[in-house]
Amino acid sequence: MVRGILLAAGRGNRFGADKLMQPLTEGRSVALAAADTLINALPGSIAVCRPEQSRLIEQLLEVGFRVETCEQADRGMGFTLATAAIATGEQENLLIALADMPFIELATIQQLVAALEAGAKLVQPRYHGQPGNPVGLNYSFRQRLLAPQGDFGARQLLKQRAAEITYIDLDDPGILRDIDRPEDLPGQPD
């Protein structure tokens, strides 16, 4: 089984405001656009937020997420991932998506899930040779996630275990496109 994980506990300091709640051109927030795609592919997904993100938590619950809060999110992504891992079953593979990446296509997530279900240890999409997100982790890496080390996240795990990555080449530029600054929003001047 594959469990979707939406990491939504970052502060987004480079943005200068709550980037996850910024509206996109179709009116949905950045986080809700990312969440909708994940929950459509993987019903029963879990989102990890900071406790004070009450509005976002409410929205995620409304679209079907189970929400876990991470009191230690400011200590690094490793702590957010540990919160997610604690909330999952020991035999669940994880597909880890980021709430500031709202442009990923549903078909991308479905292909990554299929690779995990087929036995891949680590799965990462690529667009024109560039690796992106979300990433898939086999359940055998769960214990590693349960021992957080600051900002040690899936990216570092992928670097350490590069030989085990199954890359899925896709025509989805959304796997590389995140919202870090106001100019990253659609319709903003570059």
Side-chain angles (χ1 to χ4, degrees):
M1 176 183 182
V2 179
R3 176 78 62 186
I5 303 294
L6 183 71
L7 300 181
R11 290 252 177 228
N13 293 330
R14 288 180 283 180
F15 195 89
D18 186 354
K19 69 179 180 179
L20 297 182
M21 298 306 291
Q22 297 300 310
L24 296 172
T25 50
E26 74 273 8
R28 291 183 302 168
S29 69
V30 168
L32 205 52
D36 283 345
T37 305
L38 185 61
I39 202 75
N40 283 325
L42 291 167
S45 290
I46 297 169
V48 182
C49 299
R50 294 186 320 278
E52 68 270 17
Q53 292 174 290
S54 55
R55 187 167 159 228
L56 177 58
I57 290 169
E58 181 180 308
Q59 290 177 346
L60 292 170
L61 290 169
E62 285 176 8
V63 296
F65 276 82
R66 184 169 108 208
V67 178
E68 300 291 330
T69 57
C70 181
E71 297 277 349
Q72 298 179 318
D74 288 338
R75 293 183 64 192
M77 188 180 290
F79 289 88
T80 307
L81 279 169
T83 299
I86 289 166
T88 62
E90 290 184 16
Q91 301 292 313
E92 289 182 326
N93 298 317
L94 305 179
L95 186 75
I96 301 169
L98 306 176
D100 68 349
M101 296 190 73
F103 306 109
I104 295 167
E105 297 173 10
L106 179 63
T108 293
I109 293 175
Q110 292 168 333
Q111 289 182 54
L112 297 171
V113 167
L116 280 171
E117 289 174 338
K121 291 283 189 189
L122 296 167
V123 180
Q124 189 169 26
R126 283 192 302 204
Y127 177 72
H128 293 262
Q130 283 189 276
N133 285 298
V135 298
L137 307 177
N138 180 275
Y139 68 87
S140 62
F141 294 106
R142 185 174 186 272
Q143 288 302 316
R144 188 96 179 259
L145 298 180
L146 292 173
Q149 300 169 3
D151 246 356
F152 182 89
R155 182 180 308 164
Q156 289 80 2
L157 180 62
L158 292 169
K159 283 181 184 177
Q160 291 177 354
R161 307 298 283 263
E164 297 174 63
I165 301 172
T166 298
Y167 289 105
I168 310 292
D169 290 305
L170 302 165
D171 188 26
D172 181 359
I175 69 165
L176 304 175
R177 189 173 173 201
D178 61 352
I179 305 294
D180 280 335
R181 295 177 177 83
E183 57 268 20
D184 296 332
L185 290 168
Q188 300 301 312
D190 290 328

